[in-house]
Amino acid sequence: MSKRKHSNINLWVNTDMSRLDQDVHVIPMESVFQRFHSNQHFGLSSPFVHDAQLNYGTNQITPPRSQNYFWLLFQQLFMGFNLILWLGGILA
C-alpha cells in the first residue's frame, strides 16, 4: 500500500486582510479570538465584558410598550370586517 502524503494548502492566500471586520468566517480561529479578546476555553475576559457593557449597554431585551386600551377597542370595533358589519347594521 502506498502512503498518502499530507498536503498543506494555504486557504488564506486570496483573502483581503484589510477588511478583517467583515470576514470572521474566513480567517483563522486564533485571529478571531484575538480580535474579540476571547479565549477558546474560557470565553470573554472579565475586564473586556465590563468595558463592553459600559460602551454598548447590557445584553437585555427592552420591554414592549404598554398598549393603549382605547386604541385596541377602536381597532376591534371598527377595523377590517367589523366596519362592514357596522355599515350593514346601520343600513338595515
Side-chain angles (χ1 to χ4, degrees), residues 3-92:
K3 287 188 172 183
R4 290 186 180 175
K5 288 186 175 181
H6 291 288
S7 62
N8 293 331
I9 300 172
N10 189 356
L11 298 175
W12 318 114
V13 172
N14 297 326
T15 303
D16 183 14
M17 293 298 183
S18 65
R19 301 185 60 153
L20 291 180
D21 60 333
Q22 299 176 0
D23 63 351
V24 293
H25 60 286
V26 295
I27 63 174
M29 290 298 292
E30 294 81 20
S31 300
V32 174
F33 290 132
Q34 287 176 355
R35 184 182 309 160
F36 294 111
H37 307 286
S38 182
N39 186 334
Q40 184 175 1
H41 302 289
F42 301 113
L44 296 173
S45 63
S46 295
F48 181 75
V49 170
H50 181 68
D51 292 340
Q53 284 180 347
L54 290 176
N55 288 336
Y56 305 112
T58 58
N59 189 15
Q60 294 179 349
I61 298 174
T62 57
R65 290 183 6 199
S66 61
Q67 296 283 334
N68 184 351
Y69 291 109
F70 293 113
W71 178 249
L72 288 174
L73 179 65
F74 178 77
Q75 284 180 327
Q76 291 299 317
L77 289 177
F78 300 109
M79 295 284 184
F81 187 68
N82 289 338
L83 180 63
I84 296 171
L85 291 176
W86 279 107
L87 290 175
I90 291 170
L91 292 176

